[in-house]
Amino acid sequence: MLETDKIFAGSIPENYDRYMVPLIFEPYAADLARRAASLSPDTVLEIAAGTGAVTRILAPKLSADATYTVTDLNQPMLDYAASRQPPDSRIRWRQADALALPFENAAFDLVCCQFGVMFFPDRMSGYREARRVLKPGGHFLFNVWDRIEENIFAHDVTNALAEMFPDDPPRFLARTPHGYHDIALIRRDLEEAGFSHMTIETRAEQSRAPSPRLPAVAYCQGTLLRTEIEARDAEKLDAAIEHAASAIAARHGSGEVAAKIQAHVIMAVA
Ligand SMILES: C[S@@+](CC[C@H](N)C(=O)[O-])C[C@H]1O[C@@H](n2cnc3c(N)ncnc32)[C@H](O)[C@@H]1O
């Protein structure tokens, strides 16, 4: 991944939450929250929480005396999450780099992370930090996207942009969010970080949108693909969206559209 692949700021938090979260994150947030709550944790740490897609679903499921520490590297993402969360004295918001967590050893029963580990420049440091702050026997619960070919709209948008910028195609989606999907590698990395009892489930869902334009806007404006498009030609963002929308319409129709998304859901014990 590139250094810029982790800067979620400017208009990204709002566009991310408005377009991307309903398009692809909500079904997996419901799944992760259900799994997290079934462990009945008293002390929960969420890392790379973004605009709070998981937080909003998990908080109401935790017990009244639980504490829920919600963190992200980028303060603008966390500010957006906090602005959408009803008042809740159990939640502590804190800016934190998952690679250097500002918490004591063995402080949490559960560390959860939705679609965040792909953004860690040094994944092993992130895994070791998650293990360090977990109590022995505590759980690390997270998910990662499967390969881009299993995530149809992301693949369509990436292919459309490659037609538009043939000499230097914007590859953010393939490189980073869809760049860490090898189950054997994930298992090896977790083992090396000291985790055991790994379970990995591959889960398909449907991504739905009222029109082909919405996934095009979501990926081109609500992700760091925007930064990549504008770096190639600051004037071409709208044209890129229209080109991606036409490609999606050609493949999926001009009305409501739906296509497969797929992710791996991982649980490991510290
Ligand atoms: C695809 S978003 C996922 C956000 C959220 N979990 C969700 O499901 O919508 C990835 C998040 O990882 C965060 N991130 C990137 N690098 C990070 C790091 N080193 N430590 C903590 N968070 C990081 C970004 O700020 C961003 O909010």
Side-chain angles (χ1 to χ4, degrees):
M1 70 170 255
L2 305 180
E3 193 52 28
T4 47
D5 282 0
K6 58 184 185 190
I7 304 170
F8 287 69
S11 64
I12 301 253
E14 189 186 344
N15 285 320
Y16 175 91
D17 199 67
R18 180 186 301 169
Y19 299 119
M20 288 304 291
V21 168
L23 187 68
I24 59 172
F25 290 95
E26 268 169 2
Y28 289 101
D31 172 69
L32 214 66
R34 179 182 55 75
R35 291 172 198 256
S38 74
L39 298 165
S40 305
D42 288 328
T43 44
V44 179
L45 171 65
E46 184 175 352
I47 53 180
T51 57
V54 170
T55 320
R56 286 191 285 280
I57 305 178
L58 178 53
K61 295 182 188 294
L62 296 176
S63 68
D65 52 3
T67 61
Y68 188 1
T69 305
V70 181
T71 66
D72 194 275
L73 177 68
N74 288 293
Q75 186 70 46
M77 294 294 267
L78 217 47
D79 289 344
Y80 204 90
S83 77
R84 288 208 53 193
Q85 192 76 32
D88 189 331
S89 59
R90 301 167 306 163
I91 298 181
R92 290 153 200 182
W93 304 98
R94 181 148 182 194
Q95 187 277 334
D97 185 344
L99 275 52
L101 291 170
F103 306 110
E104 307 219 317
N105 295 352
F108 299 98
D109 298 316
L110 170 71
V111 173
C112 65
C113 181
Q114 160 142 297
F115 299 122
V117 304
M118 305 86 93
F119 293 85
F120 300 169
D122 175 358
R123 207 161 288 119
M124 292 310 298
S125 295
Y127 286 168
R128 288 201 186 94
E129 278 296 83
R131 181 159 176 269
R132 180 184 67 74
V133 302
L134 275 168
K135 296 174 187 170
H139 291 89
F140 183 28
L141 175 63
F142 66 101
N143 50 21
V144 298
W145 291 116
D146 201 348
R147 65 186 72 245
I148 196 164
E149 292 80 1
E150 303 288 355
N151 287 270
I152 307 303
F153 291 142
H155 197 218
D156 291 344
V157 170
T158 299
N159 289 340
L161 294 178
E163 288 168 6
M164 221 175 137
F165 301 98
D167 298 334
D168 186 15
R171 297 283 300 162
F172 164 71
L173 293 174
R175 179 179 64 244
T176 301
H178 296 283
Y180 183 60
H181 50 71
D182 178 342
I183 289 176
L185 174 64
I186 295 169
R187 265 183 202 282
R188 270 204 311 279
D189 287 350
L190 287 166
E191 263 163 21
E192 203 180 316
F195 285 101
S196 64
H197 299 89
M198 270 79 77
T199 57
I200 304 185
E201 186 187 315
T202 300
R203 192 177 176 87
E205 297 278 356
Q206 285 283 300
S207 176
R208 295 176 198 285
S211 74
R213 198 164 184 281
L214 195 133
V217 170
Y219 283 105
C220 295
Q221 286 199 351
T223 76
L224 304 189
L225 199 49
R226 176 182 187 140
T227 318
E228 274 198 324
I229 296 166
E230 289 180 332
R232 280 154 184 76
D233 187 335
E235 306 298 313
K236 281 209 172 146
L237 183 61
D238 287 344
I241 291 170
E242 294 320 319
H243 190 62
S246 302
I248 293 171
R251 197 167 164 204
H252 304 276
S254 55
E256 271 185 37
V257 289
K260 181 185 178 191
I261 46 177
Q262 188 158 290
H264 304 306
V265 187
I266 300 115
M267 175 109 93
V269 176

